[in-house]
Amino acid sequence: MANRTKGTVAAAVSGFFKAIGGFFSGFGTAVAKGDLFVKLSLLWWGAGYVRRKQYVKAVIMTALEAAAILFTIFFAMDYVPKFGSLGTVQAEKVFNMDTMKSEFNDYDHSFKILLFSLFSFVVWFAAIIVWIKNVINVYKLQKMEENGEHINTFREDMKTYIGERFHITLLTLPVLGIVVFTLIPILLLVFVAFTNYDQNHMPPSQLFSWVGFKNFITLFGGGGLTSTFGYAFVRVLGWTLVWALFSTLTTYIGGILLSLLLNSKKTRMPKFWRFLFVLTIAVPQFVSLLLVRNFFADNGIVNTICDNIGLTGFLNDIGLVGTTYIPFLSAPGWAHVMIIIINIWVGVPYQMLIATGVLMNIPADQLESAKVDGAKPFQIFRKITMPYMLFITGPALVTDFVKNVNNFNVIYLLTQDVYTTTDQAMGNSQAQEVDLLVTWLFRLTQDYYNYKMASVIGIIVFIICAVFTLVAFNFMIKGDKEGTYQ
């Protein structure tokens, strides 16, 4: 079964590269065997359509070609030639003798050069794909004409895209949206990681330039593990993984146990209790977290109660606390544990709802058969309930882990303006012991304008999430689990 899974993955990868190879192979065949008008389409995109009397397509392709040329001349050429240096002319005021005023010179803007060059590369790449596909399509029209087949008119092609190929029509706008709002920002993030873009190189007053892998070396402790960014990175990464693991497992298992408790026949008024837990979801999370942060603050109500009942003094006596208050959210260790506990309170009700829906679909005959065979409640939970839950909610569990790696709200809202690091090395890297990679990234950009290191951290977060997702999903599809539960 494992071999079959590996074979499926290998076949998918092989199929992907074969499709790419077939695409370029088809282009080569079209250029080599195409007639004069097919070859002319290499220069004039609409030539082949004119030959086959598809004049509307000819106009559309000619317009696209003209748009690509005009885009290159009047837009891309203003930025792409400067991409290698990201600008050389720094902004400064010069006295204009004509206007008798000090005016800014014609300076370079490094970020605009980077962004618009990247945008130009994406447009050129899309234009090349359209150009290749256009030549292939024109060659297909030639073969159809030689074989005496019917060549669709523009109206017939439009009916096809509204009918049998309507899925392509529907996907066009979403794909464009992904390219503009997802792909380009991700590529921009990657490029910034290889520059020195920070508060000392801030456009438009300053230029930034390429520095290669210097930022990655800095993050991974180029000067040894005691260098500030390397020191902070190891600790923040460790806490990020610990947080993601515990926050995912505690809420997941807690939600299942709570659901089993509420669904038990021995529980009285289950609808009332379920309503109370659902009510916690209805309250906006940032409101709940800010209230809890105030409750557990150094001078908050919880510390007041602990002091009045003598708990703070007792913890002082046994050496667990060295202050006149319990540092629930203001000291390492205490803050880490409290954040996980508070997240359980926030996350369990949501997981309870998911678990309730899944548990209601466990085949009753399996549970009854297990009871007849003498299985204890814990054995039923371990052998039937949990495996079934993992099978159904496995993908959601993976996404929960990834979501918790990037869980900005809980960490930031609970610790902002409450936690202050006393570790000088962490402080030099603008990090705190309770930071996740994503909150560290946010702090670097919003408070310190260190975009270069934030971009490197963003790439690391992406790699962690991508690798975990691929490995986890590959593990989940092993074996015939669906057949087992059917």
Side-chain angles (χ1 to χ4, degrees):
M1 191 61 66
N3 291 334
R4 188 177 71 179
T5 301
K6 292 180 180 178
T8 303
V9 174
V13 174
S14 175
F16 173 75
F17 286 105
K18 282 183 179 179
I20 295 177
F23 181 73
F24 288 102
S25 175
F27 174 70
T29 301
V31 173
K33 298 182 178 181
D35 59 15
L36 175 62
F37 286 90
V38 173
K39 291 180 172 62
L40 188 58
S41 296
L42 293 169
L43 299 176
W44 174 25
W45 294 5
Y49 295 112
V50 171
R51 171 66 180 81
R52 272 81 200 182
K53 298 181 181 180
Q54 291 193 321
Y55 300 115
V56 177
K57 280 189 176 181
V59 171
I60 292 174
M61 295 310 299
T62 302
L64 286 176
E65 182 180 11
I69 294 173
L70 293 174
F71 172 83
T72 300
I73 295 174
F74 294 104
F75 183 83
M77 285 299 101
D78 289 338
Y79 300 100
V80 174
K82 302 175 183 178
F83 181 74
S85 63
L86 296 178
T88 56
V89 181
Q90 190 163 310
E92 58 181 11
K93 280 192 173 184
V94 295
F95 186 75
N96 190 330
M97 295 295 295
D98 295 330
T99 61
M100 302 301 291
K101 293 180 180 179
S102 294
E103 299 175 352
F104 278 104
N105 61 335
D106 187 15
Y107 61 89
D108 292 328
H109 194 297
S110 295
F111 188 79
K112 285 185 178 180
I113 293 172
L114 180 60
L115 175 61
F116 293 144
S117 295
L118 174 60
F119 180 72
S120 299
F121 295 150
V122 173
V123 171
W124 285 346
F125 177 78
I128 291 172
I129 297 299
V130 171
W131 175 65
I132 294 174
K133 185 65 176 175
N134 178 65
V135 174
I136 295 173
N137 288 340
V138 170
Y139 178 66
K140 288 180 180 179
L141 292 178
Q142 175 191 327
K143 298 296 291 183
M144 292 174 66
E145 185 180 55
E146 292 173 352
N147 296 330
E149 299 177 19
H150 172 69
I151 298 178
N152 287 346
T153 64
F154 182 74
R155 186 186 295 260
E156 289 171 335
D157 282 333
M158 291 303 296
K159 287 183 178 179
T160 301
Y161 282 107
I162 296 176
E164 60 205 52
R165 305 184 72 181
F166 187 58
H167 60 286
I168 296 178
T169 306
L170 285 178
L171 287 173
T172 301
L173 283 178
V175 169
L176 288 175
I178 289 173
V179 170
V180 174
F181 298 109
T182 302
L183 179 62
I184 292 179
I186 289 175
L187 292 176
L188 183 64
L189 167 76
V190 173
F191 283 159
V192 168
F194 295 92
T195 70
N196 58 351
Y197 185 16
D198 57 21
Q199 60 184 347
N200 297 322
H201 304 87
M202 185 71 65
S205 59
Q206 300 290 331
L207 299 171
F208 61 81
S209 58
W210 300 106
V211 295
F213 289 92
K214 181 180 178 181
N215 298 325
F216 290 88
I217 296 173
T218 300
L219 184 67
F220 291 108
L225 194 61
T226 56
S227 63
T228 56
F229 265 99
Y231 176 89
F233 174 71
V234 171
R235 282 151 183 76
V236 174
L237 175 62
W239 164 236
T240 299
L241 296 177
V242 169
W243 151 260
L245 178 65
F246 277 93
S247 60
T248 301
L249 292 181
T250 52
T251 56
Y252 182 75
I253 296 174
I256 294 174
L257 295 177
L258 181 60
S259 178
L260 288 172
L261 179 63
L262 294 179
N263 290 337
S264 173
K265 295 179 180 179
K266 298 180 181 180
T267 301
R268 296 183 179 181
M269 299 186 298
K271 293 182 179 180
F272 171 75
W273 297 113
R274 192 174 291 116
F275 167 76
L276 289 182
F277 286 110
V278 171
L279 194 61
T280 62
I281 302 175
V283 178
Q285 190 181 80
F286 79 93
V287 175
S288 302
L289 293 175
L290 289 177
L291 286 174
V292 172
R293 184 185 72 179
N294 293 333
F295 289 162
F296 287 96
D298 294 342
N299 297 317
I301 187 173
V302 175
N303 258 308
T304 301
I305 294 174
C306 291
D307 185 48
N308 290 337
I309 64 176
L311 178 60
T312 304
F314 172 74
L315 294 177
N316 263 291
D317 294 337
I318 63 176
L320 287 180
V321 174
T323 57
T324 57
Y325 55 85
I326 302 175
F328 289 110
L329 295 172
S330 58
W334 282 94
H336 292 130
V337 174
M338 283 303 303
I339 288 170
I340 293 175
I341 292 174
I342 293 171
N343 184 70
I344 294 174
W345 170 70
V346 173
V348 162
Y350 178 74
Q351 291 293 342
M352 179 265 297
L353 288 180
I354 297 177
T356 299
V358 176
L359 291 174
M360 291 174 64
N361 289 291
I362 296 181
D365 55 343
Q366 289 188 15
L367 299 176
E368 293 299 328
S369 298
K371 291 178 181 178
V372 170
D373 292 339
K376 303 296 182 182
F378 180 74
Q379 292 176 314
I380 295 174
F381 175 78
R382 187 168 64 89
K383 294 291 187 179
I384 298 178
T385 304
M386 269 313 289
Y388 187 82
M389 283 291 302
L390 288 172
F391 169 67
I392 298 297
T393 63
L397 190 60
V398 173
T399 57
D400 280 344
F401 181 88
V402 174
K403 180 188 71 175
N404 284 320
V405 169
N406 295 284
N407 195 331
F408 177 84
N409 287 352
V410 173
I411 304 297
Y412 186 80
L413 293 176
L414 287 178
T415 61
Q416 180 64 11
D417 299 326
V418 174
Y419 188 95
T420 301
T421 183
T422 56
D423 189 328
Q424 187 63 40
M426 295 287 285
N428 290 341
S429 301
Q430 296 88 45
Q432 296 179 352
E433 290 88 344
V434 292
D435 270 335
L436 303 183
L437 289 174
V438 66
T439 56
W440 188 21
L441 184 156
F442 177 82
R443 199 185 311 281
L444 286 171
T445 55
Q446 296 300 310
D447 296 340
Y448 301 97
Y449 307 106
N450 195 343
Y451 297 103
K452 59 180 184 181
M453 296 308 300
S455 297
V456 176
I457 295 171
I459 293 173
I460 300 302
V461 172
F462 171 78
I463 292 174
I464 291 172
C465 294
V467 170
F468 174 78
T469 302
L470 290 174
V471 172
F473 274 110
N474 185 54
F475 175 78
M476 287 178 183
I477 63 176
K478 284 184 178 180
D480 188 17
K481 294 185 177 65
E482 186 172 356
T484 300
Y485 290 103
Q486 285 179 344

